[in-house]
Amino acid sequence: MSASITLKQINKLAIPALISGVSEPILSLTDAAIIGNMEQNATTSLAAVGIVTTFLSMLIWVLGQTRSAISSIISQYLGAGNVEAVKNLPAQAIFVITTLSLMIIAVTYPLASQIFKLYNASDAILNFSVDYYQIRVFGFPFTLFTIAVFGTFRGLQNTYYPMLIAISGALANIVLDFVFVYGIESVIPAMHIKGAAYASVFAQLIMALLSAYYLLKKTDIPLLVKLPFNPEMKRFTLMILNLFIRTIALNIALYFGTSFATKYGENYIAAYTIAINLWFLGAFLIDGYASAGNILSGKLLGAKDYKSLLELSRKLIKYGILVGLFIGVIGAVFYYPIGNLFSNDQAVLSEFYHVFWIVLAMQPLCALAFIFDGVFKGLGEMKYLRNVLLFSTLVVFIPIIIVTDHLDYKLYGIFIAFTFWMIARGLPLIIKFRKTFNSLAQNA
């Protein structure tokens, strides 16, 4: 690592990570776009996809924190020149997390109806939600496996192979969505919402197989689990527990958003589904620079290069705001065509267009919060991340959404709450980082 962090170094990690990061939201957005344009039950099916996507995102984000923990530990050991000491950690982590995912399938599959009733789903929306979930959940272990492998590559400062894997999975999902949702005459029957679920599962399986291939072929990291556990498993577990609590807090906010939107009616939850999935897409686009922050901060911390850490943070703030503004401008230019991609129901589109501008305006704020999320994960500061998100959810988001619901702001209120939530997430991280590393850099 050179003393000066260049844009080229950041982009070499950020751009492939950005491309690979959009794979999961693309799976959901593809399902939403194709289902939202079906001739029958389009709005009801779109609402169901939104509810299930929210719940699945919660599961993936809770257990998918393996990526950040593995990346943090491996990058720090790489910076210290001692990767050999943690070579067996990824296989052990993957085994633990995929075993846990199978247990979650066993518990949630028979309880799917009860779970989605908690999101205020009922009647046809509830039935479609159960149908979609009870197929798509079987891709869950494949997703977690892929995420853990991505974390290993990131720790090794490599985002290129995850990009190739993600592109392959996204393309497979798009093709399979058309085939399974609409069918091929006399060959494959149209399966509608169930077809979208099958397409996602097969795409996730393809990504998992490619992940295993590239890890074994391009690195000397084994996938065979060997005991005893690596000494870093204790720190890994503590990171996961803190990130687990943090992600629960994150998903409480998403639960409240989805639950309130569902309560307002079918058109509102369908419009919310489009808006929140586009928000997720923006988040994952920005995640490329968050990933670069994660990868580089861990390595620089391991090397005790605090001055370069400060330089990295300054450049990430600048690039993050530019990326956020770029996303906002592109969304504004294609404001109405974007909505038409996901639905032809004018009542749904009317509610979507009322709030989409808030989603776009949030993007620079989201960029700062997500980038410093990544930096703090690279530093291994999971406890502080946990506390910030608990505060922003319980003290900021929930009171605001309850007040705006009482004022009958509907979707306006939901996205106003999300905006203040992002401010409360990002600002403390920036202040804490600058205070800590200004002091360390001066004493270095």
Side-chain angles (χ1 to χ4, degrees), residues 37-60:
N37 285 284
M38 293 189 310
E39 293 182 1
Q40 297 179 340
N41 301 314
T43 300
T44 305
S45 297
L46 184 59
V49 168
I51 293 167
V52 174
T53 297
T54 299
F55 180 67
L56 273 175
S57 294
M58 179 195 73
L59 294 178
I60 291 168

Side-chain angles (χ1 to χ4, degrees), residues 253-269:
L254 293 176
Y255 164 76
F256 269 82
T258 304
S259 181
F260 276 101
T262 306
K263 182 180 74 170
Y264 300 145
E266 187 175 88
N267 291 333
Y268 289 95
I269 182 57

Side-chain angles (χ1 to χ4, degrees), residues 198-268:
Y198 282 120
S200 294
V201 172
F202 282 116
Q204 289 162 323
L205 172 60
I206 289 168
M207 290 173 68
L209 292 172
L210 287 172
S211 296
Y213 170 80
Y214 279 115
L215 187 70
L216 295 174
K217 191 79 173 176
K218 303 297 182 180
T219 77
D220 58 355
I221 303 290
L223 280 174
L224 183 64
V225 180
K226 293 183 179 179
L227 297 176
F229 281 116
N230 189 284
E232 284 289 356
M233 274 298 288
K234 180 179 179 180
R235 183 157 72 112
F236 171 81
T237 303
L238 288 173
M239 285 184 177
I240 292 296
L241 287 174
N242 280 318
L243 290 171
F244 176 83
I245 296 169
R246 176 183 182 274
T247 311
I248 291 295
L250 185 153
N251 282 284
I252 287 172
L254 293 176
Y255 164 76
F256 269 82
T258 304
S259 181
F260 276 101
T262 306
K263 182 180 74 170
Y264 300 145
E266 187 175 88
N267 291 333
Y268 289 95

Side-chain angles (χ1 to χ4, degrees), residues 61 250 254 274-284 356 358-360 362-363 366 370 415 418 421-422 425:
W61 286 346
L250 185 153
L254 293 176
I274 300 170
I276 201 68
N277 274 299
L278 287 168
W279 184 75
F280 288 152
L281 178 62
F284 279 93
F356 186 38
I358 304 177
V359 174
L360 298 177
M362 289 168 60
Q363 293 307 308
C366 293
F370 295 145
F415 285 100
F418 275 125
W421 185 58
M422 294 310 302
R425 285 178 59 181

Side-chain angles (χ1 to χ4, degrees), residues 351-382:
E351 297 303 332
F352 167 70
Y353 292 137
H354 285 162
V355 297
F356 186 38
W357 67 270
I358 304 177
V359 174
L360 298 177
M362 289 168 60
Q363 293 307 308
L365 299 173
C366 293
L368 292 177
F370 295 145
I371 282 172
F372 276 85
D373 266 1
V375 169
F376 272 71
K377 287 174 182 176
L379 300 174
E381 291 285 343
M382 313 309 187

